[in-house]
Amino acid sequence: MPDNSTSSEPAAPTPEAISAPRKIYPIVKYGDPILEKSTPRVKKFDAELEELAEDMFASMYAAQGVGLAAPQIGLSLRLAVIDVTGGKNPEAKFVLANPEIIHAEGEVREEEGCLSIPGFRGYVIRPQFVTVRAQNVKGEEFEIRGENLLARAFCHEIDHLNGILFIQHLGLLKRDLIKRKIKKLKKQGEW
């Protein structure tokens, strides 16, 4: 999910970004079958998973996003990272392994985009508040409640893990328009 903030100031690098070079994964674009498949649960919680999560944060920041799911970097794994502050607050970094929404309330219609569908946006209705149960990189279970943008990011990334893209929440006409434009971009070699 891309960052919608209007600040023109570049984000300060996070301490993690300064301490060790991270692998920046290319973002998988719409049309790749991995984006439309449900992912298997994370079963192994080790140093490799921690490294992957940090690389996912680096990849997300590089793409100017606020959330990134493993399928978006070509990995079929039930793992997502979210930071709606764009790296400005280390306490706002969330790693979600095997997440599930256990409670949702309210309804908000906001414009949404996706790193895997760059350049396209649409209005999506999401819950205003959600509670998510997940595991951290060490395998410890936790629950977290998010509202507004954080709730939207939770829903968006969990959708990715279930093989659902934000355009599937759009009306038929808007969805078809986006698909036709992407098809044209593919023919021109620009996708």
Side-chain angles (χ1 to χ4, degrees), residues 19-60:
S19 64
R22 306 278 9 142
K23 178 175 181 176
I24 305 295
Y25 286 90
I27 306 295
V28 172
K29 287 187 178 176
Y30 174 76
D32 189 310
I34 197 167
L35 294 174
E36 297 187 57
K37 292 183 180 151
S38 190
T39 55
R41 293 179 60 81
V42 174
K43 293 180 181 156
K44 194 173 175 187
F45 295 87
D46 57 8
E48 195 175 309
L49 185 69
E50 288 184 45
E51 286 292 312
L52 174 59
E54 287 305 320
D55 290 345
M56 286 176 66
F57 276 115
S59 302
M60 178 188 77

Side-chain angles (χ1 to χ4, degrees), residues 3 34 42 51 130 132 162 169:
D3 183 356
I34 197 167
V42 174
E51 286 292 312
V130 296
V132 172
N162 294 326
H169 293 285

